[in-house]
């Protein structure tokens, strides 16, 4: 199971590199890290609902030039809106050169009306709409409001990874319950060797797979 392999990578100190719309390949790949070692880059194939054709469209579009914004991604790929939202939710746009955070990228994925390349252009009426928010345009042509989006908490990041990828890649989901486990007297896997023969122990974790003879 993938989560068993992920846990083994953690134990061996192998970095798990996040999902990235400009870097992630269809499958998992080993990638050199800035520190000089190697990490495992999360794969596009694990994004819930993504198709092979959509993955190919991502590869073809970024081969021409890297994505500069969520709007740019929407315009130059054939990825469906729900999948783009899932990508934003899982952090695939976090490394884009935009002055916003993951919640801002998710907002853009939900609200941006980007015309696909090769389609007939539509008239935009956004310029005629005014309200109390100031708007600025970035080099990619995306108008952004003055909203300051609250960033994801650590728990929200892990929840998003589980929802989109089925993996708690950033940190093990059980790590959020450390104080509860201590209060309950749960024995950590690293401490089992200290227990005596026939001693009863309490354990806790995530069931990855059931194995029967």
């Amino acid at each position: 199971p993938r989560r068993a392999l992920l846990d083994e990578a953690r134990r061996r100190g192998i970095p798990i590199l996040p999902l990235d719309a400009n870097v992630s390949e269809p499958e998992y790949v080993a990638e050199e890290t800035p520190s000089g070692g190697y990490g495992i880059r999360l794969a596009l194939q694990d994004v819930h609902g993504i198709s092979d054709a959509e993955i190919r469209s991502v590869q073809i579009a970024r081969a021409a030039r890297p994505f500069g914004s969520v709007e740019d991604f929407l315009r130059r790929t054939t990825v469906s809106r729900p999948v783009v939202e899932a990508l934003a939710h899982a952090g695939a746009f976090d490394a884009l050169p935009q002055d916003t955070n993951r919640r801002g990228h998710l907002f853009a994925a939900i609200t941006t009306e980007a015309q696909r390349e090769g389609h007939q252009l539509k008239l935009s009426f956004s310029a005629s709409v005014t309200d109390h928010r100031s708007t600025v345009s970035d080099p990619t042509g995306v108008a952004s409001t003055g909203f300051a989006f609250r960033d994801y908490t650590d728990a929200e990041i892990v929840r998003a990874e589980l929802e989109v990828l089925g993996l708690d890649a950033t940190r093990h989901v059980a790590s959020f319950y450390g104080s509860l486990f201590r209060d309950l007297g749960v024995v950590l896997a690293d401490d089992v060797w200290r227990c005596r023969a026939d001693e009863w122990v309490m354990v806790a974790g995530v069931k990855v797979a059931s194995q029967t003879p």
Side-chain angles (χ1 to χ4, degrees):
R2 291 178 305 140
R3 293 186 72 173
L5 296 172
L6 173 63
D7 203 38
E8 180 67 11
R10 282 198 182 101
R11 283 197 293 267
R12 293 178 178 270
I14 300 173
I16 306 300
L17 307 177
L19 194 68
D20 189 322
N22 276 321
V23 179
S24 290
E25 297 292 344
E27 299 179 346
Y28 297 92
V29 294
E31 183 179 316
E32 191 169 5
T33 63
S35 62
Y38 284 87
I40 299 173
R41 176 69 67 177
L42 295 179
L44 290 172
Q45 67 181 7
D46 281 342
V47 175
H48 181 69
I50 198 167
S51 67
D52 291 341
E54 289 174 326
I55 292 176
R56 283 194 298 273
S57 78
V58 172
Q59 292 179 293
I60 292 171
R62 73 188 186 192
R65 63 182 185 277
F67 300 113
S69 65
V70 175
E71 188 270 348
D72 185 34
F73 183 91
L74 281 164
R75 185 171 58 86
R76 293 198 288 124
T77 70
T78 60
V79 181
S80 66
R81 177 80 63 167
V83 173
V84 177
E85 293 173 12
L87 286 165
H89 188 42
F93 303 120
D94 285 0
L96 293 182
Q98 284 184 292
D99 187 20
T100 187
N101 54 30
R102 186 177 302 192
R103 205 176 299 277
H105 290 139
L106 179 58
F107 178 81
I110 295 172
T111 61
T112 300
E113 290 297 333
Q115 184 67 40
R116 304 284 187 185
E117 278 193 350
H119 291 193
Q120 186 176 358
L121 293 177
K122 294 185 299 185
L123 292 176
S124 172
F125 298 96
S126 59
S128 64
V129 180
T130 58
D131 58 17
H132 68 281
R133 298 185 299 271
S134 61
T135 61
V136 295
S137 295
D138 66 16
T140 63
V142 180
S144 57
T145 69
F147 289 136
F149 291 99
R150 178 178 62 82
D151 207 352
Y152 276 36
T153 64
D154 289 348
E156 287 173 327
I157 289 174
V158 173
R159 185 181 302 117
E161 290 171 344
L162 288 170
E163 290 172 353
V164 177
L165 303 171
L167 291 171
D168 42 351
T170 303
R171 55 185 285 190
H172 198 293
V173 66
S175 66
F176 293 99
Y177 301 94
S179 59
L180 174 63
F181 292 161
R182 286 191 294 272
D183 291 343
L184 293 174
V186 169
V187 177
L188 300 180
D190 290 343
D191 295 330
V192 171
W193 68 274
R194 303 176 188 275
C195 300
R196 304 297 295 268
D198 297 325
E199 180 179 346
W200 283 87
V201 298
M202 180 185 295
V203 297
V206 177
K207 187 181 77 170
V208 174
S210 297
Q211 294 180 325
T212 56

